[in-house]
Amino acid sequence: MTLNPTVSPTGRSSRASVIIVIAETSVLNRNFGGCQRKKMAKMFGASSTTEDVLSGVDLRGKRILVTGVSAGLGVETARALAAHGAQVVGTARDLAKAEMATARGLKDAAAGGGSLALIALDLADLKSVRACAEALLAAGKPFDVVITNAGVMATPFGHTADGFETQFGTNHLGHFVFVNRLAPLIAAGGRLINLSSAGHRFANVDLDDPNFERTPYDPFVAYGRSKTANILFAVAFDRRHQKRGVRAAAVHPGGIKTELGRHMDPTHLQAMIEQMNKQLAAEGKSSFQWKTIPQGAATSVWAGVVAPSDEIGGRYCENCHIGEVVPEDVSISAISEGVRGYALDANTADALWKKSEELVGESFQRSDFEAA
């Protein structure tokens, strides 16, 4: 579950819940790098599902990695891709739970000519992260798309196995090490899709105190920092790898009821919804509606295998389209679209990259990268 934060009760009016995108949609053939485009009008928006987005898309011969396939969006993302022919590798901390959660996905994969395999990964433990990456590197099979779906939200104050604040360590640093170690396996013309959130609006990253050693802990500020980091990581990765045709983007799935919200106080959640509904009523609009899981996973799938890579590279996407930057001096409400500029800032992205390398004790700078 991901909720947009309320920054101002009198924030800017939201757009219509469904965004109509008339685009030249990329329909993949068996050569991902030179995808075949069919000019067709597609209507994708907040209510679009994974099946809507993947209608007519053949993913046979594609290998796709999805983290966090034991519940929620990850399960649906993996299922939908495998059902359209992709060879999907899903990661999970609890493999037994993931096996149960992906039972339908296995059936759909078999029916659609795809496959779905599982591998253990605990993003809150860099020993596990490195072991999983090494196993995949040893197998030597390239990936066309990597979708970093796994994460935690609004957890009580705590630390990962390596001593990092839980949300920053799990949502950002775990994926930072995992993806960078796997970078040689991402095929030319491939993509990295980081699951972020409108929750990035809660806070920019704090590179001076990433583990709340001096700052009073707030679970949503910590969540905001980690989700901003997910976007900045996509920006930095995109700049470092686009010379070989690999692009990266971040996506916001929308408000969905999943296990992600298990740490939220139900009273606080209800208060947030009531506040949103009051604003919607004042604007003459219908009440807030949760997205279904297939609707929530649609933007990840759209960005991963449907949208033109040169259009989404280094960008933030939501409701199956590219999000617009909302200036800091403009109020933004819980139900509005948009991304804050600090989450796409190239200098901050590079600074976060360097700080992340320092924290994890590894360097991933590409020798052929030249700062813009």
Side-chain angles (χ1 to χ4, degrees):
M1 180 192 68
T2 304
L3 279 175
N4 296 350
T6 299
V7 177
S8 169
T10 59
R12 193 172 64 173
S13 299
S14 66
R15 299 178 182 177
S17 61
V18 177
I19 306 300
I20 305 301
V21 179
I22 305 299
E24 186 180 280
T25 302
S26 299
V27 179
L28 304 183
N29 64 12
R30 296 192 179 187
N31 180 359
F32 189 88
C35 65
Q36 209 174 40
R37 290 188 178 182
K38 292 183 178 180
K39 293 182 179 179
M40 59 181 69
K42 288 287 186 179
M43 297 174 61
F44 297 141
S47 63
S48 297
T49 67
T50 50
E51 290 306 310
D52 294 333
V53 169
L54 290 175
S55 177
V57 177
D58 183 357
L59 296 174
R60 285 176 294 179
K62 307 304 159 207
R63 290 191 82 235
I64 302 176
L65 177 66
V66 182
T67 67
V69 301
S70 62
L73 298 179
V75 174
E76 172 59 17
T77 300
R79 183 210 66 78
L81 294 167
H84 283 260
Q87 300 169 34
V88 177
V89 176
T91 78
R93 181 178 57 82
D94 186 338
L95 288 181
K97 180 180 178 182
E99 287 174 359
M100 293 180 62
T102 57
R104 178 192 166 192
L106 287 171
K107 294 179 181 178
D108 289 355
S115 64
L116 176 54
L118 301 175
I119 187 169
L121 170 65
D122 183 352
L123 289 163
D125 184 346
L126 291 184
K127 182 179 179 180
S128 171
V129 170
R130 290 166 178 142
C132 182
E134 288 304 311
L136 292 169
L137 286 167
K141 297 179 180 180
F143 290 102
D144 297 292
V145 184
V146 174
I147 300 176
T148 61
N149 168 85
V152 294
M153 175 182 177
T155 60
F157 184 61
H159 297 89
T160 67
D162 303 278
F164 306 122
E165 185 274 316
T166 299
Q167 298 187 75
F168 186 74
T170 303
N171 296 347
H172 170 60
L173 291 176
H175 278 129
F176 178 79
V177 173
F178 186 59
V179 169
N180 275 309
R181 282 191 165 227
L182 288 182
L185 289 183
I186 302 179
R191 305 183 189 191
L192 166 67
I193 305 299
N194 287 344
L195 212 74
S196 181
S197 169
H200 76 274
R201 302 170 189 166
F202 281 121
N204 196 354
V205 292
D206 186 337
L207 302 183
D208 294 323
D209 188 23
N211 295 312
F212 287 86
E213 294 171 324
R214 298 179 298 278
T215 308
Y217 182 74
D218 180 290
F220 283 99
V221 170
Y223 182 65
R225 290 184 183 184
S226 73
K227 294 292 101 178
T228 295
N230 291 152
I231 304 172
L232 291 169
F233 178 33
V235 170
F237 193 90
D238 185 75
R239 295 177 70 219
R240 284 163 172 76
H241 292 270
Q242 62 180 277
K243 283 187 177 180
R244 63 187 185 98
V246 174
R247 306 307 303 266
V251 301
H252 164 50
I256 313 102
K257 284 186 177 180
T258 70
E259 287 187 5
L260 185 64
R262 63 187 178 276
H263 296 292
M264 287 190 68
D265 180 349
T267 303
H268 178 66
L269 175 60
Q270 185 59 37
M272 291 176 68
I273 293 174
E274 289 176 359
Q275 184 175 7
M276 286 189 286
N277 284 337
K278 286 181 180 179
Q279 181 177 343
L280 286 167
E283 297 173 358
K285 299 175 181 177
S286 57
S287 299
F288 168 78
Q289 296 292 323
W290 294 102
K291 279 189 178 184
T292 65
I293 288 177
Q295 289 171 339
T299 303
S300 296
V301 170
W302 174 82
V305 301
V306 175
S309 61
D310 58 348
E311 293 182 14
I312 65 165
R315 308 291 292 274
Y316 169 91
C317 305
E318 56 190 337
N319 293 331
C320 299
H321 71 104
I322 297 169
E324 295 182 3
V325 175
V326 179
E328 286 294 305
D329 60 351
V330 176
S331 295
I332 190 167
S333 73
I335 49 178
S336 299
E337 290 189 332
V339 57
R340 288 302 192 189
Y342 59 69
L344 295 171
D345 183 79
N347 292 329
T348 306
D350 285 341
L352 173 64
W353 187 285
K354 293 176 183 177
K355 183 65 176 182
S356 299
E357 289 180 325
E358 174 189 320
L359 290 169
V360 303
E362 293 188 62
S363 177
F364 301 107
Q365 184 80 3
R366 285 178 55 83
S367 59
D368 62 349
F369 170 67
E370 296 180 3

